[in-house]
Amino acid sequence: MNIQLVTKTRKTGDLVVPLFEKEEIPESARRQLSRKDRDFLRLYLKRDKVRGENVKSLLLPGNAKRILILGKGNKKNWNHRKARILVRRIVQSMKTANLKEGTLIMESVAQTATLAEKAKLLENTAAELVIADYAHNEYKETPKEGWPTIHKMQLATDYSADEKRRLLEAVANGVIIGEETNHTRRLSNMPGGDMTPQKLAAAAEEAGKQTKVKVTILDEKQIKKLGMGGVIGVSRGSSEKPRFIIMEYKHPDYKQAPLVLVGKGVTFDTGGLNLKPDKAIHEMHMDMSGGAAVIHGVAAISRLNIPIHVVGLIPAVENMPSGSSYHPGDILRSITGRTIEVLNTDAEGRIILADALGYAKRYNPRLVVDIATLTGAAMVALGQRVSALFTKDEKLEELFRSLGESSGDYLWPMPLWDEYEEDIKGTFGDVANVGKTEAYGGSITAAMFLSQFVSYPWVHIDMAPTMTAIDSDKLAKGAKGTGVRLFTALARHLATPSTEK
Ligand code: BES
Ligand code: MN
Ligand code: ZN
Protein backbone atom coordinates (compact mmCIF):
# COMPACT_ATOMS: atom_id res chain seq x y z
CA MET A 1 0.00 0.00 0.00
CA ASN A 2 1.29 3.37 -0.99
CA ILE A 3 0.43 5.88 1.75
CA GLN A 4 0.71 9.58 0.90
CA LEU A 5 0.30 12.71 2.90
CA VAL A 6 -1.78 15.45 1.22
CA THR A 7 -3.16 18.80 2.25
CA LYS A 8 -6.89 19.10 2.39
CA THR A 9 -7.11 21.69 -0.32
CA ARG A 10 -5.72 19.43 -3.00
CA LYS A 11 -8.12 17.85 -5.42
CA THR A 12 -8.34 14.20 -4.59
CA GLY A 13 -10.13 11.04 -5.64
CA ASP A 14 -12.73 9.03 -3.77
CA LEU A 15 -13.29 10.23 -0.23
CA VAL A 16 -13.42 8.31 3.07
CA VAL A 17 -15.21 10.23 5.82
CA PRO A 18 -15.90 8.69 9.24
CA LEU A 19 -18.75 10.43 11.07
CA PHE A 20 -20.39 10.30 14.48
CA GLU A 21 -24.15 9.92 14.60
CA LYS A 22 -25.80 13.21 13.50
CA GLU A 23 -22.43 14.75 12.60
CA GLU A 24 -22.29 16.87 9.46
CA ILE A 25 -19.74 16.35 6.70
CA PRO A 26 -16.75 18.40 7.91
CA GLU A 27 -15.72 21.54 6.10
CA SER A 28 -12.44 19.96 5.00
CA ALA A 29 -14.29 17.23 3.12
CA ARG A 30 -16.88 19.66 1.75
CA ARG A 31 -14.09 21.75 0.26
CA GLN A 32 -13.29 18.91 -2.08
CA LEU A 33 -16.83 18.63 -3.44
CA SER A 34 -18.77 20.55 -6.03
CA ARG A 35 -21.76 22.56 -4.92
CA LYS A 36 -24.12 20.05 -6.49
CA ASP A 37 -22.52 17.22 -4.53
CA ARG A 38 -22.60 19.16 -1.29
CA ASP A 39 -26.34 19.74 -1.70
CA PHE A 40 -26.90 16.12 -2.59
CA LEU A 41 -25.02 14.95 0.49
CA ARG A 42 -26.80 17.31 2.82
CA LEU A 43 -30.20 16.10 1.65
CA TYR A 44 -29.09 12.50 1.70
CA LEU A 45 -27.82 12.63 5.27
CA LYS A 46 -30.96 14.42 6.37
CA ARG A 47 -33.12 11.55 5.11
CA ASP A 48 -30.77 8.69 5.76
CA LYS A 49 -28.86 9.47 8.93
CA VAL A 50 -25.57 7.89 9.98
CA ARG A 51 -26.56 5.29 12.54
CA GLY A 52 -24.26 3.33 14.83
CA GLU A 53 -21.35 1.88 12.97
CA ASN A 54 -22.96 1.41 9.59
CA VAL A 55 -21.21 2.16 6.31
CA LYS A 56 -22.56 4.09 3.34
CA SER A 57 -20.95 4.02 -0.05
CA LEU A 58 -22.36 6.75 -2.30
CA LEU A 59 -21.67 7.79 -5.85
CA LEU A 60 -21.89 11.55 -6.02
CA PRO A 61 -23.84 12.92 -9.01
CA GLY A 62 -21.58 15.93 -9.67
CA ASN A 63 -18.26 14.42 -10.67
CA ALA A 64 -18.86 10.70 -10.17
CA LYS A 65 -16.67 10.75 -7.07
CA ARG A 66 -17.40 8.06 -4.52
CA ILE A 67 -17.76 8.87 -0.86
CA LEU A 68 -17.52 6.22 1.84
CA ILE A 69 -19.14 7.30 5.08
CA LEU A 70 -18.33 5.17 8.14
CA GLY A 71 -20.40 5.48 11.29
CA LYS A 72 -18.44 6.06 14.48
CA GLY A 73 -21.48 5.60 16.72
CA ASN A 74 -22.35 7.97 19.52
CA LYS A 75 -19.69 10.58 20.21
CA LYS A 76 -20.03 10.04 23.97
CA ASN A 77 -18.88 6.42 23.69
CA TRP A 78 -15.83 7.14 21.55
CA ASN A 79 -12.39 6.00 22.79
CA HIS A 80 -8.87 5.35 21.53
CA ARG A 81 -9.49 1.62 21.05
CA LYS A 82 -12.36 2.36 18.68
CA ALA A 83 -10.17 4.86 16.80
CA ARG A 84 -7.67 2.10 15.95
CA ILE A 85 -10.44 -0.27 14.88
CA LEU A 86 -11.96 2.51 12.76
CA VAL A 87 -8.87 2.59 10.55
CA ARG A 88 -9.14 -1.16 10.02
CA ARG A 89 -12.86 -0.82 9.25
CA ILE A 90 -11.94 1.69 6.56
CA VAL A 91 -9.77 -0.91 4.82
CA GLN A 92 -12.46 -3.59 5.12
CA SER A 93 -15.17 -1.26 3.82
CA MET A 94 -13.02 -0.12 0.92
CA LYS A 95 -12.41 -3.73 -0.05
CA THR A 96 -16.16 -4.44 0.13
CA ALA A 97 -16.88 -1.37 -2.01
CA ASN A 98 -14.10 -2.44 -4.37
CA LEU A 99 -12.17 0.80 -3.88
CA LYS A 100 -8.44 0.48 -4.55
CA GLU A 101 -7.58 4.00 -3.50
CA GLY A 102 -9.06 6.73 -1.40
CA THR A 103 -8.50 9.95 0.49
CA LEU A 104 -9.05 9.79 4.22
CA ILE A 105 -9.98 12.99 6.03
CA MET A 106 -7.74 12.71 9.11
CA GLU A 107 -9.67 15.06 11.37
CA SER A 108 -12.61 12.67 11.12
CA VAL A 109 -10.41 9.92 12.56
CA ALA A 110 -9.33 12.03 15.53
CA GLN A 111 -8.84 15.67 16.48
CA THR A 112 -5.29 16.67 17.28
CA ALA A 113 -4.04 19.74 19.13
CA THR A 114 -0.26 19.57 18.68
CA LEU A 115 2.19 18.55 15.99
CA ALA A 116 3.32 15.62 18.14
CA GLU A 117 -0.28 14.40 18.41
CA LYS A 118 -0.77 14.75 14.69
CA ALA A 119 2.43 12.79 14.00
CA LYS A 120 1.28 10.03 16.38
CA LEU A 121 -2.14 9.89 14.73
CA LEU A 122 -0.55 9.60 11.29
CA GLU A 123 1.85 6.90 12.46
CA ASN A 124 -0.91 4.85 14.06
CA THR A 125 -3.18 5.30 11.06
CA ALA A 126 -0.47 4.20 8.61
CA ALA A 127 0.36 1.17 10.78
CA GLU A 128 -3.27 0.06 11.12
CA LEU A 129 -3.93 0.55 7.38
CA VAL A 130 -1.02 -1.76 6.55
CA ILE A 131 -2.05 -4.29 9.21
CA ALA A 132 -5.66 -4.34 8.00
CA ASP A 133 -4.65 -4.84 4.38
CA TYR A 134 -2.77 -8.09 5.09
CA ALA A 135 -4.31 -11.53 4.61
CA HIS A 136 -2.70 -14.97 4.70
CA ASN A 137 -3.27 -16.02 1.10
CA GLU A 138 0.01 -17.57 0.02
CA TYR A 139 -1.31 -21.13 0.17
CA LYS A 140 -4.27 -20.38 -2.10
CA GLU A 141 -4.53 -20.02 -5.83
CA THR A 142 -4.52 -16.34 -6.76
CA PRO A 143 -7.81 -15.30 -8.37
CA LYS A 144 -7.61 -13.80 -11.87
CA GLU A 145 -8.33 -10.32 -10.58
CA GLY A 146 -5.76 -10.72 -7.77
CA TRP A 147 -6.40 -10.60 -4.03
CA PRO A 148 -8.35 -7.56 -2.89
CA THR A 149 -5.87 -5.01 -1.60
CA ILE A 150 -5.69 -1.25 -1.25
CA HIS A 151 -3.17 0.29 -3.63
CA LYS A 152 -3.07 3.85 -2.42
CA MET A 153 -4.28 5.87 0.54
CA GLN A 154 -4.01 9.61 0.78
CA LEU A 155 -4.10 10.97 4.32
CA ALA A 156 -5.53 14.45 4.13
CA THR A 157 -4.65 16.99 6.80
CA ASP A 158 -3.37 20.55 7.12
CA TYR A 159 0.32 21.14 7.69
CA SER A 160 2.95 23.77 7.06
CA ALA A 161 6.10 23.33 4.99
CA ASP A 162 8.11 23.06 8.24
CA GLU A 163 5.91 20.34 9.63
CA LYS A 164 5.90 18.25 6.52
CA ARG A 165 9.15 16.35 7.14
CA ARG A 166 8.18 15.28 10.62
CA LEU A 167 4.75 14.11 9.46
CA LEU A 168 6.16 12.23 6.48
CA GLU A 169 8.55 10.44 8.82
CA ALA A 170 5.65 9.51 11.08
CA VAL A 171 3.83 7.93 8.13
CA ALA A 172 6.97 6.03 7.11
CA ASN A 173 7.47 4.77 10.68
CA GLY A 174 3.86 3.62 10.81
CA VAL A 175 4.41 1.64 7.62
CA ILE A 176 7.47 -0.06 9.18
CA ILE A 177 5.51 -1.03 12.30
CA GLY A 178 2.66 -2.33 10.14
CA GLU A 179 4.98 -4.33 7.90
CA GLU A 180 6.87 -5.93 10.78
CA THR A 181 3.57 -6.81 12.46
CA ASN A 182 2.46 -8.49 9.24
CA HIS A 183 5.75 -10.43 9.01
CA THR A 184 5.04 -11.70 12.53
CA ARG A 185 1.55 -12.78 11.50
CA ARG A 186 2.89 -14.54 8.43
CA LEU A 187 5.31 -16.64 10.49
CA SER A 188 2.52 -17.55 12.93
CA ASN A 189 0.09 -18.38 10.15
CA MET A 190 2.47 -20.77 8.38
CA PRO A 191 1.40 -24.38 8.98
CA GLY A 192 3.41 -26.37 11.52
CA GLY A 193 4.77 -28.62 8.80
CA ASP A 194 6.38 -25.63 7.10
CA MET A 195 7.42 -23.67 10.18
CA THR A 196 9.90 -25.82 12.06
CA PRO A 197 12.53 -24.60 14.56
CA GLN A 198 15.02 -24.55 11.69
CA LYS A 199 12.66 -22.49 9.51
CA LEU A 200 11.97 -20.08 12.34
CA ALA A 201 15.73 -19.63 12.73
CA ALA A 202 16.02 -19.04 8.97
CA ALA A 203 13.29 -16.40 9.24
CA ALA A 204 15.27 -14.66 11.98
CA GLU A 205 18.39 -14.73 9.80
CA GLU A 206 16.41 -13.25 6.94
CA ALA A 207 15.09 -10.47 9.21
CA GLY A 208 18.71 -9.85 10.20
CA LYS A 209 19.77 -9.47 6.56
CA GLN A 210 17.08 -6.82 5.99
CA THR A 211 18.18 -4.79 9.02
CA LYS A 212 21.18 -3.97 11.23
CA VAL A 213 20.42 -6.87 13.55
CA LYS A 214 23.08 -9.49 14.24
CA VAL A 215 21.62 -12.99 14.30
CA THR A 216 23.24 -16.06 15.87
CA ILE A 217 21.67 -19.50 15.72
CA LEU A 218 22.67 -22.20 18.20
CA ASP A 219 22.11 -25.82 17.17
CA GLU A 220 21.30 -28.81 19.35
CA LYS A 221 24.92 -29.49 20.25
CA GLN A 222 25.54 -25.92 21.38
CA ILE A 223 22.24 -25.84 23.28
CA LYS A 224 23.24 -29.01 25.12
CA LYS A 225 26.67 -27.64 25.89
CA LEU A 226 25.14 -24.53 27.47
CA GLY A 227 23.19 -26.79 29.81
CA MET A 228 19.73 -25.96 28.51
CA GLY A 229 18.14 -29.18 29.73
CA GLY A 230 14.66 -27.73 29.31
CA VAL A 231 14.99 -26.97 25.60
CA ILE A 232 16.63 -30.33 24.96
CA GLY A 233 14.02 -32.20 27.01
CA VAL A 234 10.98 -30.71 25.29
CA SER A 235 12.46 -31.15 21.81
CA ARG A 236 13.30 -34.82 22.28
CA GLY A 237 10.04 -36.21 20.90
CA SER A 238 10.42 -34.50 17.54
CA SER A 239 12.60 -35.35 14.57
CA GLU A 240 12.96 -31.58 14.13
CA LYS A 241 16.00 -30.45 16.08
CA PRO A 242 15.80 -27.45 18.42
CA ARG A 243 17.35 -24.08 17.73
CA PHE A 244 18.20 -21.20 20.03
CA ILE A 245 17.89 -17.88 18.21
CA ILE A 246 19.85 -14.84 19.39
CA MET A 247 19.27 -11.41 17.84
CA GLU A 248 21.15 -8.30 18.81
CA TYR A 249 20.77 -4.69 17.79
CA LYS A 250 23.09 -2.02 19.14
CA HIS A 251 22.40 1.52 18.01
CA PRO A 252 25.66 3.53 18.03
CA ASP A 253 24.14 5.99 20.54
CA TYR A 254 22.78 3.51 23.05
CA LYS A 255 23.43 4.50 26.65
CA GLN A 256 22.25 1.75 28.95
CA ALA A 257 22.33 -1.97 29.66
CA PRO A 258 20.30 -3.97 27.13
CA LEU A 259 16.62 -4.63 26.96
CA VAL A 260 16.22 -8.39 26.48
CA LEU A 261 13.11 -9.73 24.76
CA VAL A 262 12.35 -13.44 25.12
CA GLY A 263 9.75 -15.18 22.92
CA LYS A 264 8.27 -18.66 23.12
CA GLY A 265 9.06 -20.50 19.90
CA VAL A 266 7.10 -23.76 20.01
CA THR A 267 6.57 -24.30 16.29
CA PHE A 268 3.90 -26.91 16.97
CA ASP A 269 2.47 -27.90 20.33
CA THR A 270 0.76 -31.28 20.30
CA GLY A 271 1.02 -31.44 24.08
CA GLY A 272 3.58 -34.24 23.81
CA LEU A 273 2.68 -37.48 25.62
CA ASN A 274 0.00 -35.49 27.45
CA LEU A 275 -1.52 -35.15 24.00
CA LYS A 276 -3.98 -32.33 23.47
CA PRO A 277 -7.62 -33.18 22.73
CA ASP A 278 -8.52 -32.69 19.04
CA LYS A 279 -10.39 -29.39 19.50
CA ALA A 280 -7.45 -27.68 21.15
CA ILE A 281 -4.73 -28.73 18.77
CA HIS A 282 -5.33 -27.26 15.32
CA GLU A 283 -4.18 -23.70 16.07
CA MET A 284 -1.02 -24.86 17.82
CA HIS A 285 1.14 -24.00 14.79
CA MET A 286 0.79 -20.48 16.23
CA ASP A 287 2.53 -21.45 19.47
CA MET A 288 5.65 -19.65 18.22
CA SER A 289 3.81 -16.30 18.05
CA GLY A 290 5.81 -14.86 20.95
CA GLY A 291 9.03 -15.82 19.18
CA ALA A 292 7.83 -14.27 15.92
CA ALA A 293 6.93 -11.06 17.79
CA VAL A 294 10.46 -10.89 19.21
CA ILE A 295 12.08 -11.55 15.81
CA HIS A 296 10.14 -8.79 14.10
CA GLY A 297 10.00 -6.56 17.17
CA VAL A 298 13.81 -6.39 17.15
CA ALA A 299 13.75 -5.89 13.35
CA ALA A 300 11.28 -3.01 13.78
CA ILE A 301 13.41 -1.37 16.50
CA SER A 302 16.38 -1.50 14.14
CA ARG A 303 14.46 -0.16 11.14
CA LEU A 304 13.08 2.67 13.28
CA ASN A 305 16.62 3.52 14.35
CA ILE A 306 15.73 3.68 18.03
CA PRO A 307 18.85 4.49 20.11
CA ILE A 308 18.90 1.43 22.31
CA HIS A 309 20.69 -1.88 22.83
CA VAL A 310 18.20 -4.73 22.46
CA VAL A 311 18.65 -8.50 22.49
CA GLY A 312 16.07 -11.07 21.32
CA LEU A 313 16.16 -14.67 22.56
CA ILE A 314 13.92 -17.36 21.08
CA PRO A 315 14.09 -21.01 22.16
CA ALA A 316 12.57 -22.91 19.23
CA VAL A 317 11.27 -26.48 19.54
CA GLU A 318 8.50 -28.76 18.36
CA ASN A 319 6.54 -30.55 21.11
CA MET A 320 5.72 -34.04 19.80
CA PRO A 321 4.73 -37.42 21.24
CA SER A 322 7.00 -40.28 20.15
CA GLY A 323 9.19 -43.06 21.44
CA SER A 324 11.85 -40.54 22.29
CA SER A 325 9.59 -37.94 23.96
CA TYR A 326 10.24 -36.60 27.41
CA HIS A 327 7.94 -38.28 29.92
CA PRO A 328 5.65 -37.03 32.62
CA GLY A 329 7.78 -37.47 35.71
CA ASP A 330 11.06 -36.65 33.98
CA ILE A 331 13.31 -34.23 35.79
CA LEU A 332 15.16 -31.73 33.58
CA ARG A 333 18.10 -29.60 34.69
CA SER A 334 17.75 -26.00 33.49
CA ILE A 335 20.63 -23.70 32.58
CA THR A 336 20.42 -22.10 36.04
CA GLY A 337 20.99 -25.45 37.72
CA ARG A 338 17.46 -25.62 39.09
CA THR A 339 15.66 -28.84 38.22
CA ILE A 340 12.21 -28.99 36.64
CA GLU A 341 9.87 -31.81 37.54
CA VAL A 342 7.72 -32.44 34.48
CA LEU A 343 4.21 -33.26 35.66
CA ASN A 344 2.60 -32.44 32.31
CA THR A 345 4.41 -32.44 28.95
CA ASP A 346 1.84 -29.95 27.63
CA ALA A 347 3.19 -27.26 29.96
CA GLU A 348 6.25 -27.09 27.67
CA GLY A 349 6.45 -23.36 26.99
CA ARG A 350 7.54 -22.48 30.51
CA ILE A 351 10.21 -25.19 30.40
CA ILE A 352 11.99 -23.78 27.36
CA LEU A 353 11.47 -20.22 28.59
CA ALA A 354 13.18 -21.15 31.87
CA ASP A 355 16.39 -21.78 29.91
CA ALA A 356 16.02 -18.60 27.85
CA LEU A 357 15.38 -16.51 30.98
CA GLY A 358 18.40 -18.11 32.63
CA TYR A 359 20.50 -17.33 29.54
CA ALA A 360 19.30 -13.68 29.57
CA LYS A 361 21.21 -13.11 32.82
CA ARG A 362 24.55 -12.99 31.00
CA TYR A 363 23.61 -9.68 29.37
CA ASN A 364 23.23 -7.95 32.76
CA PRO A 365 19.95 -6.68 31.39
CA ARG A 366 18.25 -3.48 32.38
CA LEU A 367 14.92 -5.19 31.77
CA VAL A 368 13.77 -8.57 30.44
CA VAL A 369 10.35 -8.98 28.85
CA ASP A 370 9.11 -12.39 27.82
CA ILE A 371 6.10 -12.95 25.58
CA ALA A 372 4.46 -16.33 25.17
CA THR A 373 1.28 -18.11 24.15
CA LEU A 374 1.58 -19.75 27.53
CA THR A 375 -1.77 -20.79 28.98
CA GLY A 376 -5.35 -21.45 27.95
CA ALA A 377 -6.15 -20.24 31.48
CA ALA A 378 -5.23 -16.66 30.50
CA MET A 379 -7.92 -16.86 27.81
CA VAL A 380 -10.42 -18.19 30.33
CA ALA A 381 -9.63 -15.24 32.59
CA LEU A 382 -9.52 -12.41 30.04
CA GLY A 383 -11.27 -13.47 26.85
CA GLN A 384 -9.59 -12.70 23.54
CA ARG A 385 -9.12 -8.95 23.65
CA VAL A 386 -6.17 -8.36 25.97
CA SER A 387 -3.00 -10.16 27.04
CA ALA A 388 -2.15 -10.96 30.66
CA LEU A 389 0.58 -8.87 32.30
CA PHE A 390 2.71 -10.15 35.18
CA THR A 391 5.42 -8.34 37.10
CA LYS A 392 6.40 -7.87 40.72
CA ASP A 393 7.39 -4.25 40.06
CA GLU A 394 4.50 -1.81 40.42
CA LYS A 395 6.21 0.87 38.34
CA LEU A 396 6.73 -1.58 35.49
CA GLU A 397 3.12 -2.70 35.79
CA GLU A 398 1.96 0.87 35.40
CA LEU A 399 4.36 1.52 32.53
CA PHE A 400 3.33 -1.58 30.60
CA ARG A 401 -0.37 -0.95 31.06
CA SER A 402 0.06 2.50 29.60
CA LEU A 403 2.33 1.27 26.78
CA GLY A 404 -0.34 -1.34 26.06
CA GLU A 405 -3.05 1.30 25.83
CA SER A 406 -1.04 3.60 23.58
CA SER A 407 0.36 0.87 21.31
CA GLY A 408 -2.81 -1.15 20.75
CA ASP A 409 -1.26 -4.32 22.20
CA TYR A 410 -3.45 -4.18 25.28
CA LEU A 411 -2.28 -5.60 28.62
CA TRP A 412 -4.09 -6.30 31.87
CA PRO A 413 -2.33 -7.06 35.18
CA MET A 414 -2.61 -10.31 37.12
CA PRO A 415 -1.11 -11.14 40.53
CA LEU A 416 2.36 -12.56 41.00
CA TRP A 417 2.37 -12.86 44.78
CA ASP A 418 4.91 -14.93 46.72
CA GLU A 419 2.00 -16.89 48.19
CA TYR A 420 1.54 -18.73 44.88
CA GLU A 421 5.06 -20.10 45.06
CA GLU A 422 4.08 -23.10 47.17
CA ASP A 423 1.75 -24.25 44.38
CA ILE A 424 4.69 -25.03 42.11
CA LYS A 425 7.06 -26.65 44.62
CA GLY A 426 8.43 -29.88 43.18
CA THR A 427 8.30 -33.22 45.00
CA PHE A 428 11.42 -34.79 43.48
CA GLY A 429 12.70 -31.75 41.59
CA ASP A 430 13.07 -28.08 42.55
CA VAL A 431 10.10 -26.72 40.61
CA ALA A 432 7.03 -28.52 39.23
CA ASN A 433 5.91 -27.43 35.77
CA VAL A 434 2.22 -27.34 36.71
CA GLY A 435 0.52 -26.02 39.81
CA LYS A 436 -0.96 -28.24 42.50
CA THR A 437 -4.34 -26.64 41.89
CA GLU A 438 -4.10 -27.30 38.16
CA ALA A 439 -7.71 -26.36 37.46
CA TYR A 440 -7.36 -22.92 39.02
CA GLY A 441 -5.15 -19.92 38.36
CA GLY A 442 -3.20 -21.67 35.61
CA SER A 443 -1.75 -18.50 34.10
CA ILE A 444 -0.58 -17.35 37.54
CA THR A 445 1.21 -20.60 38.38
CA ALA A 446 2.81 -20.52 34.92
CA ALA A 447 4.09 -16.98 35.58
CA MET A 448 5.21 -18.03 39.05
CA PHE A 449 7.15 -20.91 37.50
CA LEU A 450 8.98 -18.50 35.17
CA SER A 451 9.81 -16.19 38.07
CA GLN A 452 11.94 -18.99 39.57
CA PHE A 453 14.48 -18.52 36.78
CA VAL A 454 14.66 -14.72 36.91
CA SER A 455 17.14 -12.46 38.72
CA TYR A 456 16.66 -9.00 37.14
CA PRO A 457 13.79 -6.56 36.46
CA TRP A 458 11.26 -8.64 34.57
CA VAL A 459 7.86 -8.54 32.89
CA HIS A 460 5.96 -11.57 31.62
CA ILE A 461 3.26 -11.30 28.96
CA ASP A 462 0.93 -14.25 28.42
CA MET A 463 -0.35 -13.53 24.91
CA ALA A 464 -2.45 -16.69 24.50
CA PRO A 465 -5.61 -14.50 24.66
CA THR A 466 -4.46 -12.39 21.72
CA MET A 467 -2.83 -15.05 19.56
CA THR A 468 -5.77 -15.31 17.13
CA ALA A 469 -7.75 -12.45 15.59
CA ILE A 470 -11.47 -12.34 16.41
CA ASP A 471 -14.19 -10.71 14.29
CA SER A 472 -14.17 -7.46 16.25
CA ASP A 473 -10.45 -7.01 15.51
CA LYS A 474 -11.45 -6.31 11.89
CA LEU A 475 -8.46 -8.27 10.63
CA ALA A 476 -8.00 -11.20 8.29
CA LYS A 477 -8.45 -14.61 9.92
CA GLY A 478 -5.41 -16.05 11.67
CA ALA A 479 -2.70 -14.52 13.80
CA LYS A 480 -3.24 -11.10 15.31
CA GLY A 481 0.44 -10.07 15.34
CA THR A 482 0.58 -9.15 19.02
CA GLY A 483 3.83 -7.65 20.31
CA VAL A 484 5.56 -5.62 17.60
CA ARG A 485 3.67 -2.42 18.34
CA LEU A 486 4.26 -2.89 22.07
CA PHE A 487 7.99 -3.56 21.71
CA THR A 488 8.58 -0.51 19.53
CA ALA A 489 6.69 1.64 22.05
CA LEU A 490 8.76 0.12 24.87
CA ALA A 491 12.06 0.68 23.06
CA ARG A 492 11.15 4.30 22.38
CA HIS A 493 10.22 4.79 26.00
CA LEU A 494 13.50 3.31 27.23
CA ALA A 495 15.47 5.39 24.72
CA THR A 496 13.92 8.67 25.88
CA PRO A 497 15.95 10.07 28.80
CA SER A 498 13.17 12.34 30.07
CA THR A 499 10.93 9.40 30.90
CA GLU A 500 13.64 7.40 32.63
CA LYS A 501 12.90 6.00 36.02
N1 BES B 1 0.41 -23.41 24.02
C1 BES B 1 -0.41 -23.80 25.09
C2 BES B 1 -1.32 -22.67 25.60
C3 BES B 1 -2.33 -22.14 24.63
C4 BES B 1 -3.61 -22.66 24.57
C5 BES B 1 -2.05 -21.08 23.81
C6 BES B 1 -4.55 -22.16 23.70
C7 BES B 1 -2.99 -20.55 22.94
C8 BES B 1 -4.24 -21.10 22.88
C9 BES B 1 0.45 -24.26 26.27
O1 BES B 1 1.63 -24.89 25.94
C10 BES B 1 -0.35 -25.26 27.03
O2 BES B 1 -0.60 -26.30 26.51
N2 BES B 1 -0.74 -24.91 28.25
C11 BES B 1 -1.53 -25.78 29.06
C12 BES B 1 -0.95 -25.79 30.45
C13 BES B 1 -1.49 -26.88 31.33
C14 BES B 1 -1.04 -28.24 30.85
C15 BES B 1 -1.04 -26.63 32.74
C16 BES B 1 -2.95 -25.25 29.04
O3 BES B 1 -3.14 -24.04 29.00
O4 BES B 1 -3.86 -26.06 29.02
MN1 MN C 1 1.39 -26.96 25.64
ZN1 ZN D 1 2.43 -24.39 24.12
Side-chain angles (χ1 to χ4, degrees), residues 56-297:
K56 298 172 190 299
S57 169
L58 304 173
L59 194 61
L60 296 171
N63 51 8
K65 216 181 241 200
R66 198 168 270 286
I67 184 164
L68 202 62
I69 298 173
L70 284 93
K72 294 165 74 179
N74 190 322
K75 195 169 181 173
K76 272 194 251 131
N77 302 329
W78 191 245
N79 61 36
H80 67 277
R81 291 193 301 279
K82 289 184 187 171
R84 273 191 188 272
I85 297 296
L86 172 67
V87 177
R88 298 176 178 178
R89 285 177 55 216
I90 289 168
V91 173
Q92 282 198 342
S93 314
M94 284 177 71
K95 285 184 179 178
T96 308
N98 205 13
L99 292 184
K100 303 272 181 222
E101 1 185 308
T103 301
L104 173 61
I105 305 298
M106 288 309 296
E107 69 181 277
S108 303
V109 179
Q111 302 283 333
T112 51
T114 63
L115 181 63
E117 275 177 31
K118 190 174 271 190
K120 195 78 218 157
L121 174 66
L122 286 169
E123 180 184 289
N124 291 347
T125 301
E128 297 301 339
L129 286 171
V130 171
I131 289 170
D133 200 35
Y134 163 90
H136 178 54
N137 287 330
E138 64 191 90
Y139 285 82
K140 293 193 279 192
E141 193 180 344
T142 311
K144 264 203 252 24
E145 65 282 10
W147 295 108
T149 164
I150 311 298
H151 297 159
K152 189 168 95 181
M153 278 302 281
Q154 296 188 315
L155 307 183
T157 187
D158 288 325
Y159 51 85
S160 67
D162 296 346
E163 295 169 337
K164 187 170 179 181
R165 239 189 80 203
R166 166 106 187 255
L167 297 181
L168 278 174
E169 190 180 289
V171 171
N173 287 347
V175 171
I176 290 174
I177 293 168
E179 285 174 352
E180 294 300 331
T181 299
N182 291 347
H183 292 330
T184 309
R185 293 160 79 196
R186 178 175 173 268
L187 295 182
S188 299
N189 285 332
M190 298 266 279
D194 288 350
M195 182 43 63
T196 59
Q198 197 184 336
K199 293 273 179 60
L200 191 65
E205 280 179 322
E206 184 56 35
K209 275 188 210 140
Q210 308 290 331
T211 58
K212 291 178 197 132
V213 177
K214 190 177 128 218
V215 181
T216 312
I217 308 294
L218 308 183
D219 63 13
E220 191 183 29
K221 223 169 113 191
Q222 293 163 298
I223 294 170
K224 220 177 243 168
K225 204 165 158 208
L226 280 166
M228 294 189 176
V231 176
I232 294 295
V234 174
S235 74
R236 258 180 27 215
S238 173
S239 55
E240 298 291 341
K241 296 296 163 215
R243 292 288 184 274
F244 193 84
I245 304 166
I246 303 167
M247 301 179 75
E248 186 161 14
Y249 170 68
K250 239 189 229 183
H251 188 284
D253 302 334
Y254 83 91
K255 299 243 156 44
Q256 302 208 26
L259 161 69
V260 178
L261 304 175
V262 176
K264 171 177 173 181
V266 175
T267 59
F268 198 90
D269 180 14
T270 63
L273 291 176
N274 293 101
L275 192 63
K276 282 184 183 296
D278 58 354
K279 270 206 200 81
I281 209 166
H282 77 281
E283 281 197 333
M284 283 302 119
H285 63 89
M286 289 200 260
D287 211 18
M288 34 51 73
S289 297
V294 170
I295 292 173
H296 288 289

Side-chain angles (χ1 to χ4, degrees), residues 269 399 473 493:
D269 180 14
L399 169 66
D473 287 321
H493 172 85

Side-chain angles (χ1 to χ4, degrees), residues 481-495:
T482 297
V484 172
R485 292 173 304 169
L486 176 74
F487 289 150
T488 56
L490 172 64
R492 279 173 172 163
H493 172 85
L494 295 177

